[in-house]
Amino acid sequence: ANNIIAQEYFCSWDAAIPGSYYGKIIQELQEQERICDLPHDVRYPVITAWDLGVGDSTAIWFVQQIGYNIHVIDYYGASGKSIEHYAAVILGKDYKYGTHHLPHDARAKTLASGGKSVIEQLAEHLDWKHLAITPNLSVQDGIQAARLAFPRIWFDRHNCEQGLEALKQYQREWDDDKKQFKDKPRHDWTSHASDAFRYLAVCWREEYKETL
């Protein structure tokens, strides 16, 4: 009953979405007004973090580090598009880029692409020196990295609306036999944005550890 009250009257995302990983955290960000108008700062490079599904959904977060804070200024998600499409999205934005962090399976070569890996295909459009592979940590380690990163994260409420909605609704898988949540995420439409966000947090922890 208390959960229903919280859901109806206080917009509690944790209450509204049972098993949510980040619902309560995002609710706190809203209360702290850290989901706001967050303009691109031309003085700083933009870092991207990707979850890539060729022929499936792909998600990309666009981030700047401004002092101690991580500004998540943009998000892009689409399904069934080509590598060329995503490269065009990147190049079509008026950003000066730092590193593009790709998932570890971007190294895999596929027959469908003439034996080229995703990272090799992207390198035809984006500079090799800006492409990097995310460390292959477990899902649970990645979720923990994301939770540790949240205290310094701000989101642009307009550009990141689609990605934020996915993070809010990202939840544990339900075990119907045991009537409890499993210790792993449910795979659904929220997975790609949430996986890319995990990679973002892992990259920040690994590559920018001196700032954490």
Side-chain angles (χ1 to χ4, degrees):
N2 286 342
N3 271 4
I4 299 300
I5 292 169
Q7 178 181 343
E8 293 295 327
Y9 297 102
F10 302 112
C11 275
S12 169
W13 281 103
D14 216 25
I17 305 167
S20 167
Y21 282 103
Y22 307 129
K24 186 175 181 180
I25 296 171
I26 291 174
Q27 181 188 349
E28 290 170 353
L29 294 185
Q30 289 172 318
E31 291 168 354
Q32 295 163 7
E33 299 184 348
R34 286 198 280 140
I35 299 174
C36 57
D37 294 325
L38 202 63
H40 167 228
D41 190 326
V42 296
R43 296 172 298 171
Y44 298 90
V46 174
I47 309 299
T48 66
W50 303 48
D51 182 51
L52 270 161
V54 180
D56 192 6
S57 295
T58 287
I60 309 169
W61 291 98
F62 298 78
V63 185
Q64 293 186 292
Q65 180 164 341
I66 314 291
Y68 173 80
N69 296 318
I70 299 168
H71 285 194
V72 186
I73 60 168
D74 207 347
Y75 171 82
Y76 183 80
S79 184
K81 302 292 186 181
S82 66
I83 291 297
E84 289 73 22
H85 170 85
Y86 296 111
V89 168
I90 294 293
L91 296 172
K93 292 181 181 287
D94 190 23
Y95 299 151
K96 176 187 176 184
Y97 289 104
T99 305
H100 302 292
H101 295 283
L102 307 174
H104 64 275
D105 55 4
R107 281 202 190 100
K109 297 180 186 294
T110 63
L111 291 173
S113 59
K116 287 186 176 180
S117 67
V118 167
I119 193 169
E120 286 171 333
Q121 293 174 67
L122 273 175
E124 294 175 8
H125 308 277
L126 309 176
D127 196 326
W128 258 115
K129 69 182 179 185
H130 290 301
L131 301 177
I133 297 294
T134 305
N136 186 17
L137 300 188
S138 72
V139 172
Q140 291 304 323
D141 281 345
I143 289 171
Q144 182 61 16
R147 285 179 170 146
L148 291 172
F150 269 115
R152 58 196 300 204
I153 285 179
W154 297 61
F155 288 94
D156 183 272
R157 62 180 174 177
H158 300 293
N159 293 344
C160 298
E161 186 175 8
Q162 180 190 359
L164 271 168
E165 192 62 34
L167 291 180
K168 288 176 184 176
Q169 298 194 39
Y170 185 54
Q171 63 193 119
R172 293 173 178 82
E173 190 176 308
W174 176 255
D175 188 326
D176 208 37
D177 293 331
K178 296 181 179 178
K179 305 299 180 190
Q180 64 185 32
F181 288 102
K182 298 179 182 179
D183 197 23
K184 68 175 184 178
R186 187 174 74 183
H187 187 79
D188 58 17
W189 71 273
T190 70
S191 301
H192 301 284
S194 301
D195 286 347
F197 192 77
R198 255 192 313 116
Y199 301 147
L200 167 66
V202 167
C203 291
W204 230 271
R205 191 176 77 176
E206 294 295 313
E207 296 199 22
Y208 308 96
K209 61 185 64 177
E210 71 278 2
T211 70
L212 289 179

